[in-house]
Amino acid sequence: MQKNGLLGQLIQGLCCLPGVGPKTAQRMAFQLLQHNRNGARLLAETLLRAIDEIGYCRECRTLTEDSLCGICADSSRDSSLICIVENPADVWIIDQAAVFKGRYFVLHGRLSPLDGIGPDELGLDILEQRLATGSVNELILATSSTVEGEATAYFIGELAGKYHVQASRIAHGVPMGGELEFIDSGTLSHAFNGRKQI
Ligand code: ZN
């Protein structure tokens, strides 16, 4: 079988999925072509549309196909309460747990000076502008409990203090070094309700 033929290219392409190695990619490719061409077509078309149409919300920087995401556009949500997260996936996870009715701000990473990731790379200049307007009452820092996540939370806490905005850190039940995507909604609920002012 030709490795650089179309089938080989498909298998190689599938390897870009997280957690998918060559063997799994091979299984996926054969399964799709032999048993589910309709599903494969839908996947391919949706993926293309998603790549072309999904960008970032101008307010909170999460993923959305509109200039303003559904959460930022929802006037019933509390815009004075902002939950700071590292990734768009965290917004999705926290919102599914339905423990939070404010807005979000996505950093797209965490402070890591050695990797050249400073405050501007995380959009903190945009966040600071928001704090300066006086419309924000509280920042809930939901960055990961990794060393960089803690350092990022501390830095943003200081920034909040500069504008007399209360900052709190989600606390209970979040394991050390934990990333939000591995936490169940019950634990997440405790983490929000038990947040500590910093
Ligand atoms: Zn938004």
Side-chain angles (χ1 to χ4, degrees):
M1 196 170 290
Q2 276 187 317
K3 274 206 157 173
N4 47 8
L6 198 47
L7 185 57
Q9 286 176 39
L10 174 61
I11 292 167
Q12 221 176 357
L14 287 165
C15 285
C16 81
L17 294 169
V20 174
K23 287 256 183 254
T24 309
Q26 211 169 299
R27 264 203 310 277
M28 286 175 167
F30 282 106
Q31 164 70 20
L32 290 173
L33 290 172
Q34 282 182 281
H35 305 294
N36 197 357
R37 289 199 180 210
N38 287 340
R41 182 176 297 279
L42 184 67
L43 172 64
E45 286 168 359
T46 312
L47 196 55
L48 267 182
R49 275 193 61 205
I51 292 164
D52 287 341
E53 295 173 26
I54 294 179
Y56 299 109
C57 172
R58 65 178 145 90
E59 289 279 326
C60 72
R61 314 199 327 150
T62 198
L63 292 170
T64 175
E65 65 264 46
D66 302 310
S67 70
L68 206 58
C69 76
I71 295 170
C72 289
D74 182 351
S75 59
S76 73
R77 299 188 67 125
D78 187 353
S79 60
S80 72
L81 196 57
I82 297 180
C83 179
I84 312 283
V85 294
E86 291 179 5
N87 300 299
D90 300 331
V91 173
W92 191 269
I93 291 156
I94 295 170
D95 238 55
Q96 273 178 331
V99 293
F100 177 69
K101 289 291 165 221
R103 302 269 169 90
Y104 295 90
F105 188 81
V106 182
L107 301 171
H108 292 280
R110 46 200 178 211
L111 286 179
S112 183
L114 290 178
D115 300 316
I117 301 173
D120 286 356
E121 280 70 31
L122 301 181
L124 294 184
D125 46 341
I126 301 168
L127 182 68
E128 186 165 3
Q129 285 167 17
R130 189 93 45 88
L131 295 177
T133 63
S135 63
V136 180
N137 291 332
E138 183 183 354
L139 294 185
I140 299 175
L141 303 163
T143 50
S144 64
S145 48
T146 57
V147 174
E148 291 98 342
E150 292 293 351
T152 307
Y154 179 79
F155 186 90
I156 299 173
E158 295 281 294
L159 194 65
K162 196 171 136 189
Y163 293 94
H164 308 290
V165 171
Q166 191 182 315
S168 55
R169 182 86 173 102
I170 58 165
H172 303 290
V174 179
M176 284 305 289
E179 307 271 355
L180 286 184
E181 64 178 304
F182 302 116
I183 298 169
D184 64 274
S185 62
T187 309
L188 206 50
S189 169
H190 276 295
F192 266 80
N193 295 332
R195 65 184 186 268
K196 287 197 176 73
Q197 198 173 334
I198 58 171

